[in-house]
Amino acid sequence: MIALLSACATPSDPQRETSTPPRPARAPEGNLPKVDWSTERTRIMRALTGASDMSVITRNDGNLQILIPGAEAFARDGIEPRSSLRATLDRISGVLGETPGTEIVVIGHTDGVGSELHNMQLSIRRAEAVVEYMRVRGIALTRLQADGRGETEPFADNGTEAGRAKNRRVEIIVRPFSR
């Protein structure tokens, strides 16, 4: 079971790009407007940069990464977003709702407390809860994906509470659909 779940999650280090970055999903059927990604990336960054509840960077592959610290985002072992995370997601959903030609990948992470299997499942369920929250806020489900990485990509030392708090987080990758 662990091997199956591990194979389903595709770990990547957000700070270090791999030689073959994941390919963007093909655009869903329908007439999506063509996206000037450079302009949209700048617009999204301007709209979201400066908030204390998230950080926004341009990755080496040109896609945007929105990092949302999650120490207070979910109850211990819970999957429902708390009010602080909901407020952040409301803001993000409003900004991303203006660009239908982009794909949004939500990635959940956990700290190292508990079993690897439990943390993988928890991170996936949290990412799915965030996807559902954004869907209800008007983001088309065809634009949203959920993935969990469990405890496999820590930012900090899981041996301290401060480190574990940094490792409990949600990432959102925004990229244009391939045509």
Side-chain angles (χ1 to χ4, degrees), residues 51-86:
S52 62
D53 56 348
M54 72 181 97
S55 62
V56 184
I57 62 167
T58 300
R59 295 168 25 131
N60 292 341
D61 61 7
N63 298 325
L64 284 179
Q65 176 184 18
I66 304 168
L67 179 62
I68 306 167
E72 299 301 320
F74 300 97
R76 173 99 177 106
D77 239 18
I79 62 166
E80 289 302 315
R82 287 185 167 168
S83 62
S84 62
L85 178 56
R86 290 193 306 266

Side-chain angles (χ1 to χ4, degrees), residues 13-179:
D13 185 340
Q15 303 301 317
R16 187 177 49 219
E17 297 298 321
T18 61
S19 59
T20 56
R23 298 174 69 201
R26 291 190 48 80
E29 295 299 318
N31 292 332
L32 289 177
K34 184 135 177 107
V35 174
D36 176 351
W37 179 235
S38 177
T39 301
E40 279 307 304
R41 181 177 52 223
T42 301
R43 182 192 68 80
I44 293 166
M45 284 196 74
R46 283 187 181 143
L48 297 177
T49 299
S52 62
D53 56 348
M54 72 181 97
S55 62
V56 184
I57 62 167
T58 300
R59 295 168 25 131
N60 292 341
D61 61 7
N63 298 325
L64 284 179
Q65 176 184 18
I66 304 168
L67 179 62
I68 306 167
E72 299 301 320
F74 300 97
R76 173 99 177 106
D77 239 18
I79 62 166
E80 289 302 315
R82 287 185 167 168
S83 62
S84 62
L85 178 56
R86 290 193 306 266
T88 301
L89 293 175
D90 287 344
R91 185 167 170 218
I92 292 170
S93 295
V95 171
L96 297 182
E98 298 174 19
T99 312
T102 58
E103 175 185 28
I104 303 161
V105 181
V106 178
I107 305 169
H109 298 269
T110 65
D111 59 30
V113 176
S115 74
E116 190 174 333
L117 176 60
H118 174 77
N119 286 334
M120 183 61 73
Q121 292 170 335
L122 180 61
S123 69
I124 292 168
R125 292 174 59 214
R126 285 179 173 172
E128 289 171 343
V130 169
V131 161
E132 177 59 14
Y133 189 88
M134 293 177 79
R135 184 197 65 78
V136 169
R137 297 300 173 280
I139 306 290
L141 190 55
T142 55
R143 296 179 57 202
L144 294 162
Q145 292 182 40
D147 192 8
R149 305 284 167 78
E151 60 189 68
T152 63
E153 296 177 3
F155 265 7
D157 180 8
N158 271 312
T160 67
E161 181 50 44
R164 288 188 295 273
K166 288 180 182 178
N167 292 332
R168 296 188 296 265
R169 66 193 189 279
V170 175
E171 281 178 68
I172 299 176
I173 307 298
V174 183
R175 58 191 179 201
F177 280 110
S178 67
R179 303 255 171 215

